Amino acid sequence: MADAPPSPKAILRGHKAQIHAAAFLRDNERLATGDAEGHVVIWDLSIMRPAASWRAHENAILGLEGWGRGKLITHGRDHKLIVWKLAAEDEAALGKALPVESVPTPRPNPWMLHLIEVNTLNFCSFAACASHEGTASSSPASPPPPPPRDLGASPSDILIAVPNTLLSEAIDIFALPGQTRVHTVKPGAQNGMAMCLRLLHLGGRLTLLAAFENGFASVHRLDAASGAWYTTYRSQAHSQPVLALDLHPSLDFFLTSSADAVIAKHPIPTSQQPLTEAPVDDSDADEEIVRDTEAAPSLLSKAFNANPSQPPRATPQKVQPWAHPLKTVNTRHAGQQSLRIRSDGKIFATAGWDANVRVYSCKTLRELAVLQWHKVGAYAVAFADVGQEHAERPPPTEATAQQHAIASSTTTTTTTTTTDTVAASTSRSSSSGAGSALLGVKERRIRQAREAHWIAAGAKDGKVSLWDVY
């Protein structure tokens, strides 16, 4: 058994096109998946069946994310970003027919709350964060809380970052629900198209993380006084276009993966660094200009200028963005995308063009486990929110991660059709506690869905594999 490969806990079948995006919703009770034809499926993880299904866009889904417990944001290649009303009570009015099933009438859509026309020519998904920073202290002794995947319980408004409509290397930031553009960030045309984005509040300032077609990753911060954006970090850790970017919950660094085999860990500087070389003294040049345009100074003026009581003119200090990543690792596996960091900050996972899902340590960037089931390329990965319940436990090693995945796979069976239930998925009596025996079957299933450490992986075959890992 120690040498047996890990197996998924369940397989969700229903998409007929490749899956491009996945996200857990409502305390892990639901899993949202979007495919290359614009269909979105909301899966009920307590019974492993669809709770809702509709065609959200006329083209491929680039990204989706929950907004509280009652909204879902979807971003499609039809140049639209839509916010849907999708509370638990709204699911009853929606159809459950999966994309692979033929229906005589069009599937009903949820209520559309907001729609923004955006640029989607460069395959870059949106990024979102709350419009205002949280009230928690941002001092080193009390770090700010990590930005939640569902954008908070009930935020009044949020910020959305998407590529600019005219300049594919620039980024627009919109405010919802007002649907107004509040900022435009221009990192520079030399970067090529923007490929990945992330928004956050750090040290009281709005911060944008961006990665580009030429392999560069950069950090941009807003000066609230002037309204200008300045770059605090810019580094080229990749030789190919960046495919994925994610922010660590500590807000100390972010990770990127690319079409090459490199995974890079980048800092998030709050200010620029001084130039290492001595600054050039421009005083001589200024004096030459004065002599060419004005009369020669008198002896009295020279005497006043030579007075040691007058302080010398200060030379402005020249600064530049930080330019070195914290760490880079050549994994020897090209084409790892949809990089996602788990909410406890211990591990992250990638979806590989070679059909494998790989799990790594956030601290060392060392590979811990390889999840193999799909036969064609994997494109989307999502982590369930595990909170901080295991914050004091040491990070997993390669052996423990493999053993846990193997042990989890031997206690359950894999679903084979879209309508099969997964009775074995509720057999985790060891984690349910002594009081679980008093709960009904439905309550046990809901509790198991919320507490499982899910990894969801979507692939080109239209299937979603669910894994329960460390």
Side-chain angles (χ1 to χ4, degrees), residues 135-277:
T135 57
S137 171
S138 59
S139 63
S142 178
R149 294 289 183 187
D150 62 354
L151 304 179
S154 58
S156 58
D157 53 354
I158 61 173
L159 299 175
I160 299 286
V162 291
N164 182 267
T165 304
L166 300 177
L167 302 174
S168 58
E169 71 274 4
I171 297 101
D172 287 335
I173 300 178
F174 292 86
L176 290 177
Q179 298 185 200
T180 57
R181 184 172 62 181
V182 294
H183 300 288
T184 297
V185 186
K186 298 180 180 180
Q190 71 276 9
N191 292 327
M193 295 188 301
M195 301 295 292
C196 311
L197 304 173
R198 195 79 162 91
L199 269 179
L200 69 148
H201 294 277
L202 182 63
R205 295 189 178 184
L206 184 62
T207 303
L208 173 69
L209 313 180
F212 299 92
E213 184 183 15
N214 62 353
F216 273 85
S218 57
V219 177
H220 310 272
R221 287 171 60 80
L222 174 64
D223 184 355
S226 63
W229 289 80
Y230 61 96
T231 303
T232 62
Y233 174 78
R234 186 172 183 269
S235 177
Q236 187 178 23
H238 303 281
S239 60
Q240 298 293 327
V242 180
L243 299 179
L245 178 155
D246 203 10
L247 172 67
H248 193 266
S250 67
L251 310 186
D252 291 334
F253 62 88
F254 65 100
L255 302 175
T256 57
S257 63
S258 168
D260 59 21
V262 174
I263 290 179
K265 178 187 290 189
H266 306 271
I268 310 179
T270 56
S271 61
Q272 296 177 325
Q273 66 172 343
L275 285 172
T276 54
E277 62 270 14

Side-chain angles (χ1 to χ4, degrees), residues 435-453:
S436 63
L438 302 178
L439 300 176
V441 174
K442 181 178 180 180
E443 288 75 12
R444 290 204 309 269
R445 287 176 173 175
I446 293 175
R447 181 174 179 178
Q448 192 274 339
R450 289 178 175 177
E451 296 180 354
H453 292 182

Side-chain angles (χ1 to χ4, degrees), residues 70-93:
K71 302 182 186 72
L72 178 70
I73 307 172
T74 62
H75 187 189
R77 288 213 66 214
D78 54 358
H79 306 287
K80 296 178 182 179
L81 186 143
I82 303 176
V83 180
W84 308 91
K85 185 177 182 296
L86 193 65
E89 58 271 15
D90 299 321
E91 294 177 351

